[in-house]
Amino acid sequence: SYYDDTVYHHCLKFKQHLLTTMTATVPMSRTSDEESAQFLRNRGTRRKKGDDPFPNIPPSTALPARHPVNILKRLTYISCSSYVLHLMGLWYEVIHGPDVNHLWFQIGMAISVAIQAVKTYLEMYEGRYKKRRVDYENCRTATHIIMFLIILATLVFHAALWPAYGGAKTMFIMGVFGFGILIPIMLVIPTWIQNPLAIILMTFFIQQYQ
């Protein structure tokens, strides 16, 4: 009928007008089209070993790891964290405190020695001697072993300090030691100094602890 034809004609004109308006106001850039096409071409393909896992992310503008500002910042973290642990009497409590579970602490020290042994093997033998790139792709088994040992050592040291400091203070001490002392030291000191220094310090601590 005439009424149906008129309604259809107006709906068709409105649809064409709507499409024209959307195309004019939201144009698709050539870059977006090329990125979409590249994504579709690469979809389902496996990333090769050594490829950048994030190729579209721009390079970082952060300061280098050995920049004086970064070194000063990490030394500040180490100094403040050490002072906090000194105020809490951690050294005296670990060496002489009757409330610390010394059996669990000895187990934690043994696990720490194992972590240091695996770390030294990866960085010195695999990295420096065999000239292999030490990352997750090349050292998956060793990485999983270290992760498991770190979690186990954390739980064991919690069990050792819990009777002396309680739950909240023990978690605070472990956090301050891990993020305020251990990690900044690993970021400041090069690995070729870090590993022998860690062995010397751990040997000295074990002698003092006995």
Side-chain angles (χ1 to χ4, degrees):
S1 65
Y2 174 78
Y3 177 79
D4 293 336
D5 292 341
T6 303
V7 171
Y8 174 77
H9 178 68
H10 284 290
C11 290
L12 185 62
K13 289 183 64 177
F14 176 76
K15 182 179 180 181
Q16 292 175 350
H17 175 72
L18 182 63
L19 291 174
T20 303
T21 304
M22 292 176 63
T23 305
T25 55
V26 189
M28 290 294 291
S29 65
R30 183 178 179 182
T31 304
S32 299
D33 292 339
E34 292 176 352
E35 290 179 352
S36 301
Q38 182 70 22
F39 172 77
L40 292 175
R41 285 195 298 269
N42 295 335
R43 185 176 58 181
T45 59
R46 297 186 62 182
R47 183 169 59 89
K48 296 181 180 179
K49 187 176 182 179
D51 290 350
D52 186 3
F54 307 105
N56 296 325
I57 297 180
S60 174
T61 58
L63 296 175
R66 295 289 184 267
H67 193 277
V69 174
N70 279 336
I71 294 177
L72 180 62
K73 180 174 64 176
R74 286 160 185 158
L75 289 176
T76 303
Y77 293 158
I78 295 170
S79 302
C80 294
S81 301
S82 301
Y83 183 69
V84 169
L85 296 181
H86 171 72
L87 292 178
M88 299 182 71
L90 180 64
W91 174 262
Y92 178 84
E93 195 68 35
V94 167
I95 300 297
H96 305 289
D99 295 329
V100 173
N101 191 320
H102 295 285
L103 176 61
W104 281 113
F105 198 89
Q106 291 173 357
I107 296 174
M109 288 299 302
I111 298 172
S112 301
V113 172
I115 294 173
Q116 181 60 41
V118 177
K119 177 177 176 296
T120 303
Y121 167 79
L122 289 177
E123 294 177 345
M124 304 305 294
Y125 180 74
E126 294 288 343
R128 290 190 170 271
Y129 180 74
K130 297 182 68 174
K131 305 298 182 183
R132 292 183 62 191
R133 182 178 178 180
V134 179
D135 56 10
Y136 179 74
E137 294 294 334
N138 295 327
C139 310
R140 292 193 177 189
T141 302
T143 303
H144 294 159
I145 291 174
I146 290 181
M147 291 172 62
F148 171 75
L149 291 176
I150 289 174
I151 295 173
L152 184 60
T154 302
L155 295 176
V156 169
F157 281 124
H158 269 79
L161 298 177
W162 201 289
Y165 288 99
K169 285 187 177 180
T170 299
M171 290 186 285
F172 176 76
I173 289 172
M174 295 298 296
V176 169
F177 180 79
F179 294 100
I181 296 179
L182 191 60
I183 293 178
I185 286 177
M186 295 175 65
L187 295 175
V188 169
I189 303 177
T191 55
W192 62 276
I193 299 177
Q194 186 183 125
N195 291 301
L197 181 63
I199 294 173
I200 293 172
L201 292 178
M202 291 179 72
T203 304
F204 172 76
F205 180 80
I206 291 173
Q207 290 178 348
Q208 294 292 319
Y209 188 72
Q210 291 177 350

